[in-house]
Amino acid sequence: MIPSAPDSLVSPDGDYSLVINEIYLAICGEGREIGLPATFVRTSGCNLRCPGWPCDTPYTSVRPEGERMTVAQVAARVAEIGCPRVFLTGGEPLLWRRSLRALLDRLREDGRSALLQTNGTIYDAEVFSRCDQVSLDCKTPSSGERSDYDVIARAVREAPNPQVKFVARDEADYEFAVAAYRRLEADTPPETLSRCAFIVQPLDAVGRDTPETLLERLRWLQEMVTARGDWFFRPLPQLHVLVYGATARGV
């Protein structure tokens, strides 16, 4: 059984290891990196449950599964795929932060760039400084969970190429996102805040939504942004969900 909140372990041969759910080549489907090819390295285990939403990767959170791999094994698999860009996601990758540091060092040695997706609850300056981009979720009320504002605010100030993503199911979620941005705006120098991208994307109710309903919610978000003059937001879809559906893996 995979621990719900593991930290990194050292394998018998002395190399750091992680539990990896899957490694695959795909097109980035959300955030400002949308459309970029990347090798996805998905760790298993998550410290959040988001009871208000159907998790789109339950195999990494509520029912975590995967294979323990050393950093060397992960790097070798990434090298086989050959893409120069690596997207580290989960689950919550920062639960494996010591191994993640070692993996990021290895990826850099191999000439690869790294993008990290995290849920905004854990800060690790050593991990973030090794990334080319850090993307943080800021959990909205409908999720039933909370990200850590201090983690997000510090990442906006210090992390390389930060972005903050808000998933909106309804107007209450949208208002929460606006309030979170305004708070960050008040706490962050303008020249620093301008480095950060702020994304709003429609909630995908896995098993209930269709491409049509997701596009309707995206249209609603776009109209909210333009009608209210919330010029700081980028309303974007989850491209991979529209193309392949919510339950497809390895895309």
Side-chain angles (χ1 to χ4, degrees), residues 20-227:
I20 298 296
N21 183 273
E22 53 188 353
I23 301 175
Y24 59 93
L25 179 66
I27 300 297
C28 294
E30 58 188 75
R32 67 179 170 194
E33 66 276 12
I34 194 168
L36 293 173
T39 297
F40 283 72
V41 176
R42 186 182 299 280
T43 64
S44 208
C46 188
N47 59 330
L48 299 183
R49 289 297 177 264
C50 299
W53 296 345
C55 182
D56 59 356
T57 56
Y59 43 87
T60 67
S61 58
V62 294
R63 297 186 300 276
E65 58 189 53
E67 172 190 1
R68 186 171 293 280
M69 298 177 67
T70 66
V71 164
Q73 289 171 330
V74 174
R77 176 65 184 129
V78 168
E80 286 175 9
I81 294 173
C83 184
R85 186 180 299 107
V86 179
F87 197 110
L88 301 164
T89 185
E92 175 46 63
L94 286 173
L95 295 180
W96 304 94
R97 47 197 172 273
R98 282 184 291 171
S99 292
L100 207 57
R101 295 169 202 155
L103 176 59
L104 285 161
D105 286 341
R106 177 63 181 270
L107 293 175
R108 184 167 298 233
E109 289 171 8
D110 292 345
R112 305 190 193 281
S113 62
L115 298 77
L116 175 69
Q117 174 68 48
T118 177
N119 63 24
T121 63
I122 300 169
Y123 195 92
D124 192 297
E126 292 187 52
V127 169
F128 289 173
S129 67
R130 289 166 164 81
C131 296
D132 295 277
Q133 177 180 312
V134 175
S135 179
L136 303 104
D137 290 339
C138 185
K139 298 298 182 184
T140 50
S142 67
S143 71
E145 288 280 14
R146 295 182 64 179
S147 299
D148 187 320
Y149 174 81
D150 291 336
V151 166
I152 292 173
R154 185 177 174 189
V156 168
R157 293 192 302 268
E158 300 176 5
N161 296 313
Q163 75 173 357
V164 180
K165 293 192 299 182
F166 304 90
V167 174
R169 181 178 69 184
D170 50 31
E171 192 165 346
D173 283 348
Y174 186 86
E175 294 290 355
F176 173 90
V178 171
Y181 173 85
R182 293 300 184 195
R183 185 179 176 188
L184 287 165
E185 183 181 40
D187 293 344
T188 311
E191 64 276 11
T192 302
L193 190 71
S194 65
R195 300 184 308 114
C196 186
F198 292 90
I199 314 297
V200 285
Q201 64 186 48
L203 171 68
D204 172 27
V206 180
R208 298 196 299 272
D209 271 313
T210 65
E212 291 73 22
T213 60
L214 290 170
L215 288 171
E216 287 175 7
R217 200 170 292 127
L218 178 62
R219 184 182 302 118
W220 163 72
L221 279 173
Q222 290 180 338
E223 291 172 355
M224 287 284 283
V225 168
T226 54

